[in-house]
Amino acid sequence: MPNPTDTPDSQHNKPSQAEVDHSPQPAHATTGSSTTPRSRLTKTPKMVANGSRAFMWYALALIIIVIDQWTKWLAETKLTFHDPVPVIEPFLNWTLAYNYGAAFSFLADAGGWQKWFFSGLALLMSLFLIIYLLKAPRKATLLSLGLAMVLGGALGNLIDRLLHGHVIDFIHVHYADVWHYPIFNIADIGISLGVVLIVIDMLFLEKKREMPRS
């Protein structure tokens, strides 16, 4: 009921009540004075490649190559072929041996073609590792360490095949005359440890690097 004191003009000039918008609004996460969609708050971490820092890992591979070639030179100059020298009885000997095949003397008696086959395979692997070290994530230290160790070991044995036609081995792990592990060298140790580090990174660290951060 209108107020009797109100004139028609005053009733016409009164502001009308503002309408409230009850329609549903999109969900937003408020940060400060602005609103940002929740989907934009979750970011996938940007991976920075090793780039020029890969040369640090190349240097490590070179150190492995130098140690490997030096110890092989010592083995050839100080040891007699297949004549074991006890180091820690009954577990470790220095025993000079030549491997014309792959690991565990695989294809050692193939007739000579295996030299070029395994040399080509080692060369391709080395080129792949060199490129991969450039592109590997900078934060993936364990991965880069493993790749560098495999690279150094592969090139160490490749040098043997190209210079001598066989790989020089001299580390002989055994237990008396009951059990003998195939004779190996420093390059083989680098390859084996490098593969272990790469597998550990793949199983436990790779997914953590790729997890989005909020």
Side-chain angles (χ1 to χ4, degrees):
M1 181 174 180
N3 193 326
T5 61
D6 292 340
T7 63
D9 291 339
S10 63
Q11 292 179 10
H12 178 73
N13 293 331
K14 280 186 176 181
S16 59
Q17 185 178 3
E19 296 182 359
V20 179
D21 185 6
H22 295 287
S23 60
Q25 299 298 323
H28 287 73
T30 303
T31 56
S33 60
S34 61
T35 56
T36 306
R38 294 184 185 276
S39 59
R40 295 183 183 178
L41 292 179
T42 303
K43 298 180 181 179
T44 302
K46 184 179 180 180
M47 297 294 178
V48 179
N50 275 326
S52 60
R53 290 194 180 184
F55 287 95
M56 175 180 66
W57 301 113
Y58 297 156
L60 175 60
L62 180 60
I63 291 173
I64 294 174
I65 294 172
V66 171
I67 295 174
D68 174 68
Q69 291 297 308
W70 177 63
T71 53
K72 288 173 178 175
W73 175 80
L74 286 177
E76 284 222 291
T77 55
K78 303 295 184 181
L79 300 176
T80 303
F81 185 72
H82 275 186
D83 184 14
V85 175
V87 180
I88 304 175
E89 286 287 4
F91 305 107
L92 177 64
N93 291 344
W94 298 145
T95 303
L96 179 63
Y98 300 146
N99 183 3
Y100 292 86
F104 304 105
S105 298
F106 177 65
L107 293 179
D109 300 325
W113 63 266
Q114 73 275 22
K115 166 190 172 181
W116 302 109
F117 174 76
F118 290 123
S119 296
L121 195 62
L123 182 60
L124 289 176
M125 180 185 297
S126 299
L127 292 174
F128 169 77
L129 292 173
I130 290 172
I131 297 173
Y132 195 10
L133 274 169
L134 284 170
K135 298 182 178 180
R138 185 172 295 181
K139 290 185 177 181
T141 305
L142 198 67
L143 173 63
S144 296
L145 177 60
L147 293 172
M149 294 182 73
V150 174
L151 175 61
L155 289 176
N157 284 338
L158 174 62
I159 293 173
D160 281 12
R161 295 185 191 279
L162 295 178
L163 292 181
H164 311 293
H166 55 258
V167 174
I168 301 170
D169 295 323
F170 62 93
I171 304 174
H172 183 195
V173 177
H174 64 100
Y175 179 70
D177 289 328
V178 178
W179 172 81
H180 294 266
Y181 191 80
I183 305 174
F184 56 95
N185 55 45
I186 299 297
D188 296 332
I189 295 176
I191 294 173
S192 300
L193 291 179
V195 170
V196 170
L197 295 180
I198 293 171
V199 171
I200 291 175
D201 180 86
M202 291 174 58
L203 294 178
F204 302 106
L205 302 178
E206 184 176 7
K207 291 183 179 179
K208 290 183 179 180
R209 289 195 300 269
E210 296 175 353
M211 286 178 61
R213 61 176 184 268
S214 57

